[in-house]
Amino acid sequence: LHRHYQASIFRERLLSAIKRFTSALSFARAIADITKDSWPRIGTALSFRTGRSNLFFTPEVRRKRKVKLVDITWLKAHEEVVSQDRVSSLKDVITKWGVYKLPLLVDAKSGAILDGHHRYAVGREMGLSKLPVILVDYLEDDSIEVDVWPNCGIDCLTKEQVIEMSLSDGVFPPKTSKHNFVSTLSPIRVPLRKLQ
């Protein structure tokens, strides 16, 4: 009964935090504050990356999806990177670490990159032959939703259009597609030597 009560309070606080905070950084700070004691007992995890959707996942989902190393030439971008400066900064950090710390999210059938265009650009610049990815059935997976960023110039976007663009010779402008999904994009440590 006590655990049920704690879980109920946690859920209320979590919902309240989601409503109060719209920026990703503020949201992450709020989560960290309200979950110091209850988080481990509830057995739920939160993965956070600044500037992207907040990604929630459970241990059951984490076991279902494995990180695989795939040929970089098979991967297909559907969107431009935000800036070359951002790619260069990420490249410097990855070189310093000597590892890739986050996999790309990729459609298993087409090779379309759903999340990780900057990491893909870094891999190409570094001359890597493989990249760490999580493969998903994009069109059939209901936990992955696509929307558009505000003021991107497009009113709506479908999964089919994302795949179609990735298979074409063109790409959408940066910050066009916005994917919200339940995911296993938790930190990894794949050494660069394994990606040569």
Side-chain angles (χ1 to χ4, degrees):
L1 185 62
H2 182 67
R3 284 186 184 176
H4 178 71
Y5 176 72
Q6 281 183 329
S8 176
I9 290 174
F10 174 80
R11 278 192 301 273
E12 288 175 21
R13 289 180 179 172
L14 180 61
L15 290 173
S16 175
I18 290 170
K19 289 176 184 173
R20 280 195 324 260
F21 299 101
T22 54
S23 86
L25 188 56
S26 296
F27 179 77
R29 287 181 181 146
I31 294 296
D33 288 344
I34 65 173
T35 59
K36 284 177 187 165
D37 297 324
S38 55
W39 197 263
R41 285 194 294 267
I42 294 178
T44 307
L46 166 71
S47 174
F48 168 76
R49 295 186 301 122
T50 304
R52 290 290 298 165
S53 304
N54 300 300
L55 310 176
F56 295 86
F57 56 93
T58 63
E60 293 76 30
V61 173
R62 184 168 49 241
R63 283 194 294 269
K64 288 181 187 173
R65 297 185 178 160
K66 305 251 189 246
V67 174
K68 298 184 187 240
L69 301 183
V70 301
D71 192 318
I72 197 169
T73 60
W74 176 69
L75 299 172
K76 298 163 190 72
H78 75 272
E79 187 172 277
E80 291 177 8
V81 295
V82 172
S83 74
Q84 189 53 44
D85 287 343
R86 191 165 167 185
V87 172
S88 297
S89 296
L90 183 58
K91 180 181 175 184
D92 292 344
V93 170
I94 289 174
T95 301
K96 180 180 174 186
W97 290 335
V99 297
Y100 258 68
K101 289 192 173 186
L102 202 63
L104 286 71
L105 187 73
V106 175
D107 176 51
K109 293 178 182 170
S110 66
I113 300 167
L114 309 175
D115 181 75
H117 285 86
H118 290 87
R119 282 165 271 147
Y120 169 68
V122 167
R124 288 182 54 152
E125 280 193 11
M126 295 177 79
L128 300 178
S129 63
K130 297 178 188 286
L131 285 180
V133 305
I134 292 177
L135 298 172
V136 295
D137 187 348
Y138 180 49
L139 296 177
E140 299 299 322
D141 191 334
D142 293 336
S143 71
I144 304 171
E145 299 173 354
V146 65
D147 199 356
V148 292
W149 287 95
N151 305 316
C152 72
I154 298 175
D155 292 331
C156 65
L157 190 63
T158 66
K159 289 182 177 184
E160 290 79 10
Q161 289 171 314
V162 169
I163 297 291
E164 200 175 293
M165 183 60 83
S166 72
L167 296 174
S168 75
D169 292 332
V171 288
F172 290 117
K175 290 290 184 189
T176 298
S177 68
K178 180 179 181 183
H179 286 93
N180 301 306
F181 46 86
V182 175
S183 174
T184 60
L185 295 186
S186 52
I188 58 171
R189 292 188 63 83
V190 179
L192 292 177
R193 61 183 161 72
K194 286 191 172 182
L195 305 175
Q196 299 294 333

